[in-house]
Every structure is written in C-alpha cells, then in structure tokens.
Amino acid sequence: MTDTAPRLNFAAAAPKAFRSLIGFDAAARDGLDPALAELIQIRSSQLNGCAYCLHIRSSQLNGCAYCLHMHVTDARKAGEDDLRLHMIGVWREAKHFFSSREQAALALTEAVTLIADADVPDEVYAEAAARFEEAELAHVLAVILTVNTWNRVAVTTAKIAGTDERR
C-alpha cells in the first residue's frame, strides 16, 4: 500500500455493491470458527513481503496493511495469542503453533490468494478437503474469496492502516 491520500470512498460511491460484499462476508463466516476466519484473513492480507521469505514467487501480492491491521486487531480482541499472530507469516516453519486444520486452511488461503501465479495445487485442495467437511470447506473458501476482495478494494482505494471505519 502506498502513502497516497485516500481515493474513492467505495462504500459511499457504490453502496449497494458495498452492502452486498458485507452480506457475502457475513454469509462466508456463518458457522465457521471465528478464530480460523481471522487466521485466513490475516494470512491473505499479509502476503506482501519478500518472496524469498514467504517461499512464494509472485508479483501479484495483496499487501493490504489496512486489512492486516484490522484483522490482527480483531483476532486480539477475540483472544488470539500474540505469539501465534506473529507466526502466521512463517506458519510452514512453525507448524506446531497451528492445528492441522489451520495449516490446511492457511495453505489453501495462499494458493487461492496467489492464484495468478499457478492453479490451486491438487494436494493443497485435497488436504483442505480432508480436514473440513464439505459445507465448512465452502465457508473457508468463501472467507478466502471475501478477504481477497476486501484487500483489493482497500489497496485500490488507498485505505490507511489503523483507520478502521467500522467503528
């Protein structure tokens, strides 16, 4: 995200589309563990660092500081442990901090978020499908899709991290 002034106020300019996105986000989370939803949203939003460090080659990274700040704040308020929050970006090297379900969701999050670089690998999808029942997997995917949409809205409109407008 750049240091430019905010651009378009998406919510004001397209209120029907904005409300629809809020509805999709709420429907995506319905019945899903809120902590898992936050882990997914944090991982998608933080995909902005060094490709070497992330073990990912991509020029199409979200890099949404606004969403990352918002979801880390939400996760803390929900009782998420700070140490786990610090380890999300390196979860592959720190697997013992995350359950097998969380690892599968994080791998799927990365694959879907970086889909411009490659298809979602069969083994990543199969691992997620093995860890989640079909309906729950659909909600995991829906959360991944919504956070990627929110990331793109926030980056495109130059939202400023720390200015959560939901409050």
Side-chain angles (χ1 to χ4, degrees):
M1 192 144 157
T2 63
D3 290 328
T4 62
R7 299 173 184 170
L8 172 73
N9 180 334
F10 182 74
K16 196 171 181 181
F18 185 76
R19 285 191 307 273
S20 294
L21 187 50
I22 289 172
F24 180 34
D25 190 291
R29 295 165 173 268
D30 188 40
L32 193 62
D33 175 14
L36 180 63
E38 292 304 332
L39 291 178
I40 290 167
Q41 292 174 115
I42 289 167
R43 186 63 186 132
S44 178
S45 298
Q46 74 184 175
L47 287 175
N48 65 352
C50 161
Y52 174 78
C53 298
L54 295 174
H55 303 288
I56 295 167
R57 295 187 210 251
S58 177
S59 59
Q60 307 296 321
L61 300 173
N62 285 344
C64 185
Y66 177 84
C67 294
L68 181 57
H69 178 270
M70 182 172 53
H71 293 298
V72 166
T73 300
D74 288 350
R76 281 188 176 130
K77 285 180 182 174
E80 183 60 77
D81 180 75
D82 273 347
L83 187 53
R84 277 175 35 100
L85 291 174
H86 290 293
M87 302 310 277
I88 295 170
V90 293
W91 69 270
R92 290 179 193 279
E93 291 80 25
K95 290 182 178 182
H96 60 284
F97 285 94
F98 303 98
S99 71
S100 58
R101 287 167 49 87
E102 290 168 336
Q103 291 174 42
L106 290 168
L108 186 61
T109 299
E110 290 177 355
V112 174
T113 299
L114 302 172
I115 202 163
D117 289 346
D119 198 1
V120 175
D122 288 339
E123 61 275 7
V124 169
Y125 184 84
E127 183 65 22
R131 301 289 177 191
F132 296 97
E133 293 181 16
E134 188 172 86
E136 193 174 23
L137 179 59
H139 282 271
V140 166
L141 180 58
V143 169
I144 296 167
L145 297 175
T146 60
V147 70
N148 272 277
T149 301
W150 284 123
N151 288 164
R152 283 153 176 77
V153 169
V155 169
T156 303
T157 61
K159 297 296 234 179
I160 299 168
T163 60
D164 187 345
E165 297 169 352
R166 298 174 303 170
R167 316 277 184 263

